[in-house]
Amino acid sequence: MLNFELYNPTNYIFGKNQIEKLANLIPAHEKVLLAYGGGSIFKNGIHKQVTEHLKGFEVIEFGGIEPNPHFETLMKAVEIIRTEKITFILAVGGGSVIDGVKFISGAVNYEGNAVDILKNRILFKDISKVIPFGTVLTLPATGSEMNSGAVITIEATQEKLTLGGSALFPQFSICDPTVIQSLPKRQLQNGVVDAFTHVLEQYLTYPQDALLQDRISEGILQTLVEIGPKVVENPTDYKLASNFMWCATMALNGLIQKGVASDWATHMIGHELTALYGIDHARTLAIVGPNLYRVMFDSKKEKLAQFGERVFNIKGNSTEEIAEKAIDKLVSFLQEMGMETKLSQATTNYSDTANFIVNRFEERGWKALGEKQNITLDKVREIVEMSY
């Protein structure tokens, strides 16, 4: 295994009726910005529950954070915090709202042009320089409730970029699995596939002697295969809902990436498809991922075969045969989860996509991606074109 440090200060509060603890989790006398997305938290009663347990705090609300949070929208919240001298942020929503709040938290006291936080991948490490925040999770998917990373869209330039740092962990996250009962089927499908792909990005690399990380990863994947299609159809089943929520958190709370090299090229390419065409994040991963594994087959075949054997119980006469079957089985699972697996199924305007993405990566200096830095720009082009 590689050397590593594991730091995760988030107080993770899981289970039914945990919103009742909210008032005791936010320090007294804080002035709170309540941040959320669209109107779903009003329809499902979460807004009412949260505000009832914020009585005694001065609260200013900020809604309208997009599914792929826009830099331009988030800067409006930054100005409100500066003007109103707000001292704590509560994110109520899924990964997009939580990601947006992470950006807001870091941007408030940032000296300089806030867009540079994204353009230059600024890391926030000093907790005294950010606004503290907590979360009430309403959609399992991204693991943002227990990590310090975020993805933000700059609408003006159609870019989807990242930020992070150890100062951007939530102080607490309230995770009640019953909140998924009112979610649309599409969002549940996306959540399962997002979590599944998060694990693959950290697992489908090459053998690295991290036996425990492999088995934890495989346990998450096996669980999502078992419950994924079922939870979409039966979100009121607490067994399914609770395991789904916990899997989504465990997929990206930092644990399974320790001691190993990770890939993340599927995400980097997928982000461009979302920025270009507005395709749901999880659905871009379903389009790109299997083709990345096909193009990078030689360097990933050992782990692909392990994935096939341990997660899907695939048998075969060689590593190559099992690995190829594993990719096919992955595509079948993604389709069972309601995913499109070709770009042409999601948009008709795709003919110049590969050129656009390769040119954008070249402009940013992203010329070598993946766990071995062997996904070169020619490989990126091949992956995207194979995804048409």
Side-chain angles (χ1 to χ4, degrees):
M1 282 193 290
L2 304 175
N3 295 350
F4 68 88
E5 295 182 12
L6 176 59
Y7 172 75
N8 195 317
T10 301
N11 182 10
Y12 188 83
I13 302 153
F14 182 92
K16 298 177 181 178
N17 304 317
Q18 297 286 42
I19 291 177
E20 296 174 358
K21 298 180 178 179
L22 187 56
N24 296 322
L25 293 167
I26 301 175
H29 311 301
E30 297 281 16
K31 189 172 183 179
V32 179
L33 182 77
L34 174 58
Y36 49 85
S40 62
I41 67 168
F42 294 91
K43 296 174 185 176
N44 61 21
I46 300 298
H47 180 270
K48 182 179 180 182
Q49 292 182 54
V50 167
T51 52
E52 283 179 354
H53 294 289
L54 286 178
K55 289 178 179 175
F57 292 93
E58 185 176 354
V59 178
I60 293 175
E61 299 192 19
F62 182 83
I65 296 176
E66 301 86 357
N68 294 288
H70 292 176
F71 165 80
E72 293 85 352
T73 300
L74 303 176
M75 287 305 298
K76 296 175 184 177
V78 169
E79 291 307 315
I80 291 171
I81 291 175
R82 290 171 175 167
T83 301
E84 300 291 338
K85 295 182 170 51
I86 286 166
T87 56
F88 194 92
I89 314 170
L90 181 65
V92 181
S96 292
V97 173
I98 299 170
D99 278 12
V101 163
K102 289 176 183 176
F103 174 84
I104 295 165
S105 170
V108 170
N109 296 318
Y110 182 75
E111 296 177 0
N113 188 342
V115 78
D116 290 339
I117 294 171
L118 304 172
K119 297 280 190 179
N120 300 329
R121 291 185 169 185
I122 299 296
L123 293 177
F124 291 88
K125 297 181 178 180
D126 185 347
I127 59 173
S128 69
K129 297 290 180 67
V130 304
I131 304 298
F133 65 96
T135 87
V136 176
L137 182 67
T138 63
L139 171 60
T142 69
S144 195
E145 65 277 5
M146 202 179 182
N147 66 41
S148 61
V151 183
I152 306 299
T153 296
I154 305 173
E155 187 179 23
T157 55
Q158 289 186 299
E159 293 179 276
K160 196 171 178 183
L161 301 172
T162 61
L163 74 149
S166 57
L168 293 181
F169 282 98
Q171 289 197 347
F172 63 82
S173 286
I174 296 174
C175 302
D176 181 345
T178 64
V179 301
I180 77 163
Q181 295 177 9
S182 61
L183 292 175
K185 181 180 290 189
R186 186 181 182 92
Q187 287 188 319
L188 292 169
Q189 293 170 331
N190 288 350
V192 171
V193 171
D194 199 7
F196 198 88
T197 311
H198 286 159
V199 180
L200 295 184
E201 292 276 37
Q202 300 162 90
Y203 169 80
L204 274 184
T205 55
Y206 57 91
Q208 298 182 62
D209 298 326
L211 306 182
L212 181 58
Q213 284 92 322
D214 275 0
R215 288 187 167 90
I216 296 172
S217 296
E218 291 154 3
I220 299 169
L221 295 170
Q222 288 171 326
T223 304
L224 289 171
V225 168
E226 178 182 346
I227 69 169
K230 297 175 184 176
V231 76
V232 170
E233 300 299 330
N234 304 286
T236 59
D237 184 316
Y238 190 74
K239 173 184 174 181
L240 299 174
S242 56
N243 280 282
F244 168 36
M245 182 170 277
W246 184 221
C247 279
T249 298
M250 285 293 291
L252 202 57
N253 66 357
L255 182 61
I256 63 173
Q257 73 177 19
K258 297 305 177 185
V260 300
S262 298
D263 186 345
W264 297 110
T266 295
H267 270 69
M268 295 171 80
I269 298 169
H271 287 330
E272 299 305 317
L273 298 183
T274 298
L276 279 170
Y277 305 119
I279 303 169
D280 298 2
H281 170 62
R283 291 166 192 269
T284 70
L285 305 179
I287 290 167
V288 173
N291 295 304
L292 184 145
Y293 304 140
R294 291 182 177 113
V295 171
M296 304 308 299
F297 186 83
D298 286 342
S299 65
K300 289 180 178 285
K301 61 186 178 183
E302 287 83 6
K303 285 303 285 286
L304 278 164
Q306 181 177 314
F307 167 62
E309 289 173 329
R310 295 187 182 182
V311 176
F312 290 121
N313 299 311
I314 294 171
K315 307 297 181 185
N317 296 318
S318 68
T319 296
E320 288 79 7
E321 180 186 354
I322 298 169
E324 288 171 355
K325 288 181 178 179
I327 297 173
D328 292 339
K329 187 65 177 178
L330 171 61
V331 172
S332 296
F333 173 67
L334 293 171
Q335 291 171 344
E336 183 182 7
M337 290 305 308
M339 297 291 111
E340 300 85 12
T341 52
K342 291 291 183 183
L343 184 57
S344 55
Q345 296 171 318
T347 181
T348 57
N349 185 29
Y350 59 85
S351 60
D352 201 43
T353 304
N355 286 333
F356 183 90
I357 292 176
V358 167
N359 290 338
R360 177 158 276 183
F361 282 11
E362 191 163 26
E363 289 169 3
R364 294 175 186 156
W366 298 0
K367 297 182 180 181
L369 313 178
E371 68 276 7
K372 292 183 177 180
Q373 296 291 282
N374 60 349
I375 304 179
T376 53
L377 293 180
D378 61 317
K379 297 293 187 184
V380 171
R381 182 184 302 280
E382 187 177 355
I383 291 163
V384 176
E385 289 179 346
M386 189 178 288
S387 301
Y388 287 174

